[in-house]
Amino acid sequence: MDLKSVLHMVGGAGETSYANNSSLQKIAISKARPVVEDSLLDLYCSSYPESLNVADLGCSSGPNTLSVIKEIINATHEKCHQLGRPMPELRVFLNDLPGNDFNTIFRSLPVFYDRLEEEKGLPPWKCFIAGVPGSFYGRLFPRDFLDFVHSSYSVHWLSQVPKGLQGEIGEALNKGHVYMAESSPPAVFKAYLEQFQRDFSLFLKFRSEEMICGGRMVLTLLGRKGEEPSSGDCCHVWELLAQALRGMVSQGAVPEAKLDSFNSPHYTPSAKELKAVINMEGSFHLDQLQITEVNWDTNDRDDNEGFIFYKKTSGQNVAKYVRAVAESLLTSHFGEQIMDELFERFAENVGEHLAKEKTKHVNFTFSMTKKV
Ligand SMILES: C[S@@+](CC[C@H](N)C(=O)[O-])C[C@H]1O[C@@H](n2cnc3c(N)ncnc32)[C@H](O)[C@@H]1O
């Protein structure tokens, strides 16, 4: 699978689109806001530059894309107002893989610029927004160019399905699963970890070339709390998808070999694994690491006393956001015709699971400074 050309979130603004099914990522962005603001303002106040080059990597398309940019503009604008300084010129670069629905973002820009002018009195020449298609596992920007880099829910995607998931004669090693599972053989955990170490290290190396010395980067990604590679907080959701596929295999709707040869190209590291790569690569100083949790069912806010659990509704809510993210990958491997049934089965499995155990996603948000 050539991931660069296959992976994209469901585009547009329809019922199954990422734009309408990204509540999980929206919550993650709001939980990370204090870290983003701290890091950005610290950078700004270190030299009060007249312009800032900002990149959002893995921006996708939908309300989250411009909400992150709005946060960055708001924080800078407020600070400048407090200090009585002119607003710096913001040059914002939205990056994602070429299959991303950049058109939907571009179409929403005129309204975005109008609002900036109405709400903040900012003329359009104070904020320039451009799209940069390409993989963040390669160079995207000129040398010493970026001041601030942000990325949310993107860097847990690997550059490819780990090669080590096949044995010496090409046999599938992770039979019946689609990600690391409790019963996966040790070679599977090793292959995933090694791919993550290679990819994340490359990601840091390329960013260090593109960023100015003292530039800041804030990344939020899915991770896991324990060191155990298949711990429930990060892997079980994929095992419930595998369970749905196994059910379809047993009914002859999916060939067994198809299931055995599919593995999701993402990795949920532990904090220790993340820090080890940052230290080993050596270009960045880790300033802050925040660990937060979000319930699988995003309608279930821990502060929302009115929430009543319904197995079916919770299962469907989770299935919708997983489908908006994973459909392109699953369709390219299994074909479009099984998607509706697959996600109905998956929703049921998730509902059953949540009826037994409330489960949370674990997010790592960490801010870094490029070393001099
Ligand atoms: C779950 S979406 C997150 C989007 C947005 N940041 C948010 O928080 O709602 C992950 C995005 O990362 C992008 N992505 C994954 N791998 C990438 C890569 N190697 N280079 C650039 N973008 C990538 C995907 O295409 C997808 O749009």
Side-chain angles (χ1 to χ4, degrees):
M1 181 196 301
D2 176 19
L3 193 59
K4 282 203 295 289
S5 50
V6 169
L7 180 65
H8 61 85
M9 307 298 100
V10 176
E15 204 186 315
T16 61
S17 63
Y18 182 75
N20 277 321
N21 296 286
S22 41
S23 52
L24 168 66
Q25 293 82 354
K26 182 178 174 199
I27 297 171
I29 287 170
S30 75
K31 290 190 182 249
R33 184 177 303 138
V35 182
V36 174
E37 287 183 3
D38 272 5
S39 172
L40 175 75
L41 296 181
D42 210 35
L43 167 75
Y44 174 66
C45 293
S46 65
S47 64
Y48 304 111
E50 286 178 3
S51 63
L52 281 172
N53 289 346
V54 174
D56 185 41
L57 308 180
C59 63
S60 196
S61 84
N64 294 351
T65 305
L66 291 177
S67 80
V68 168
I69 304 312
K70 188 98 188 273
E71 258 177 30
I72 289 173
I73 296 172
N74 285 351
T76 318
H77 184 251
E78 215 167 282
K79 192 62 170 181
C80 291
H81 189 71
Q82 272 172 16
L83 299 171
R85 287 188 163 267
M87 177 79 179
E89 181 181 283
L90 291 178
R91 300 151 187 174
V92 177
F93 300 92
L94 299 175
N95 154 260
D96 208 294
L97 292 171
N100 184 50
D101 184 5
F102 282 101
N103 281 338
T104 296
I105 308 178
F106 294 157
R107 271 195 288 268
S108 62
L109 286 180
V111 174
F112 182 78
Y113 287 128
D114 286 350
R115 290 231 174 101
L116 274 189
E117 193 147 24
E118 272 165 37
E119 292 169 11
K120 306 259 165 250
L122 287 175
W125 60 87
K126 278 291 180 191
C127 178
F128 296 92
I129 300 179
V132 179
S135 170
F136 50 54
Y137 293 119
R139 271 290 291 276
L140 294 166
F141 299 97
R143 200 167 268 284
D144 301 329
F145 179 72
L146 295 172
D147 300 289
F148 188 74
V149 174
H150 174 266
S151 178
S152 189
Y153 263 56
S154 304
V155 179
H156 48 246
W157 287 103
L158 299 169
S159 67
Q160 59 174 61
V161 176
K163 286 239 160 60
L165 294 178
Q166 287 185 338
E168 276 174 16
I169 49 163
E171 75 280 21
L173 295 183
N174 201 22
K175 286 189 175 163
H177 305 291
V178 298
Y179 184 47
M180 302 187 299
E182 251 172 64
S183 58
S184 298
V188 168
F189 302 123
K190 183 168 179 275
Y192 267 107
L193 174 61
E194 285 178 359
Q195 186 67 47
F196 168 74
Q197 289 170 330
R198 258 196 308 276
D199 283 345
F200 189 46
S201 185
L202 263 187
F203 176 91
L204 294 174
K205 172 183 167 297
F206 287 125
R207 299 302 79 76
S208 79
E209 290 170 9
E210 296 163 350
M211 288 171 67
I212 60 159
C213 288
R216 304 297 168 98
M217 175 152 72
V218 180
L219 308 178
T220 294
L221 51 88
L222 276 166
R224 63 176 200 274
K225 260 187 166 170
E227 285 310 311
E228 193 58 42
S230 65
S231 72
D233 51 17
C234 69
C235 302
H236 200 61
V237 75
W238 292 93
E239 191 48 22
L240 294 175
L241 190 73
Q243 189 185 323
L245 283 161
R246 288 196 294 269
M248 293 176 82
V249 168
S250 68
Q251 292 187 349
V254 170
E256 191 170 7
K258 271 266 162 207
L259 167 57
D260 291 346
S261 58
F262 181 83
N263 289 288
S264 174
H266 82 287
Y267 186 73
T268 38
S270 68
K272 196 169 156 197
E273 288 168 353
L274 265 175
K275 286 180 189 165
V277 179
I278 296 169
N279 285 337
M280 208 160 45
E281 196 279 332
S283 308
F284 290 88
H285 178 262
L286 179 61
D287 302 321
Q288 207 190 132
L289 172 63
Q290 173 185 273
I291 303 177
T292 56
E293 294 182 330
V294 187
N295 287 324
W296 278 16
D297 181 358
T298 50
N299 293 322
D300 179 6
R301 307 288 172 92
D302 289 326
D303 55 357
N304 176 1
E305 283 173 17
F307 177 77
I308 301 170
F309 175 74
Y310 291 111
K311 219 160 57 172
K312 192 168 173 193
T313 328
S314 283
Q316 284 172 344
N317 183 32
V318 176
K320 278 185 184 168
Y321 69 68
V322 172
R323 183 170 183 169
V325 167
E327 187 169 272
S328 63
L329 289 176
L330 293 164
T331 300
S332 91
H333 188 83
F334 295 101
E336 202 187 334
Q337 63 286 357
I338 70 153
M339 288 304 124
D340 287 341
E341 185 181 343
L342 174 61
F343 279 98
E344 272 163 34
R345 285 171 178 259
F346 174 62
E348 244 172 70
N349 295 345
V350 171
E352 291 294 340
H353 169 76
L354 290 179
K356 285 186 243 138
E357 186 186 338
K358 182 154 155 168
T359 316
K360 293 165 186 275
H361 296 288
V362 173
N363 298 332
F364 293 134
T365 297
F366 50 109
S367 65
M368 292 178 278
T369 303
K370 190 187 145 185
K371 290 180 185 166
V372 174

